[in-house]
Amino acid sequence: MASRAGGDGKEAINEQVIANTYANMRTEMNQLYTKITELEMEVSEHSLVMGAIEPLDPSRRCYRMIGGVLVERTIREVMPAVKRNKEGLEEVIARMHEALERKKKEITEFELKYKIRIRKADSDAEDEGGKKEGTAQGVLVGPAGQ
């Protein structure tokens, strides 16, 4: 009987290790999503800047933040740097998307190997309750009697 209890303890430890590994993988995937979103926002900001300064006179003064220091330059000097930065960010985003796809595949293989299934019954019940409350969210109602 003691050997059986020891076996159960080892199985529980293995299940815990698998669960922790799976949670870490999911965390890494979420971090990739977050970083990709952050970089896409930066690309969007670069596009806005390029759209704003492109029609202006190239000899016009503009200011650029370099390493926390505001530097005065001309549009002619700044535009190529902004374009290079944007292109660099887009390349990084493409590599991160590839890493994200690899991570998704790795997680899927891990789920199949260890027969991991995410329980949705508990979260569905919570979601239904949240949906009932959430239907009124985002609606702005004025004071009564007006």
Side-chain angles (χ1 to χ4, degrees):
M1 200 148 153
S3 65
R4 186 175 179 191
D8 290 344
K10 187 175 181 183
E11 186 177 315
I13 290 172
N14 287 339
E15 288 178 7
Q16 189 62 40
V17 169
I18 291 167
N20 288 341
T21 303
Y22 183 70
N24 288 338
M25 293 168 76
R26 299 280 298 189
T27 301
E28 290 173 16
M29 185 178 72
N30 288 335
Q31 288 173 342
L32 280 171
Y33 272 124
T34 302
K35 191 63 177 176
I36 288 170
T37 303
E38 180 182 317
L39 292 175
E40 285 174 343
M41 291 299 295
E42 284 192 37
V43 168
S44 173
E45 289 174 5
H46 278 68
S47 296
L48 287 172
V49 168
M50 288 170 52
I53 67 174
E54 206 164 29
L56 301 176
D57 178 26
S59 62
R60 186 171 173 174
R61 255 189 300 177
C62 68
Y63 297 90
R64 178 172 180 227
M65 184 74 71
I66 301 176
V69 178
L70 197 60
V71 180
E72 181 180 334
R73 299 275 189 248
T74 63
I75 292 177
R76 183 180 299 110
E77 296 169 330
V78 169
M79 191 62 130
V82 173
K83 284 182 183 176
R84 272 194 314 273
N85 287 349
K86 182 182 174 204
E87 291 167 0
L89 287 170
E90 289 169 341
E91 289 175 17
V92 170
I93 289 171
R95 285 195 303 257
M96 291 188 85
H97 273 294
E98 292 170 6
L100 180 62
E101 291 306 314
R102 285 192 305 270
K103 184 58 73 176
K104 284 180 182 179
K105 185 178 178 184
E106 182 182 343
I107 288 173
T108 302
E109 290 171 358
F110 194 81
E111 288 173 345
L112 292 173
K113 180 178 179 181
Y114 293 104
K115 298 177 180 142
I116 297 173
R117 291 195 182 106
I118 299 173
R119 292 183 191 163
K120 294 191 177 184
D122 295 337
S123 62
D124 283 348
E126 291 173 11
D127 287 346
E128 288 176 15
K131 287 179 185 174
K132 289 177 186 173
E133 292 175 10
T135 55
Q137 289 182 354
V139 176
L140 196 58
V141 179
Q146 281 189 351

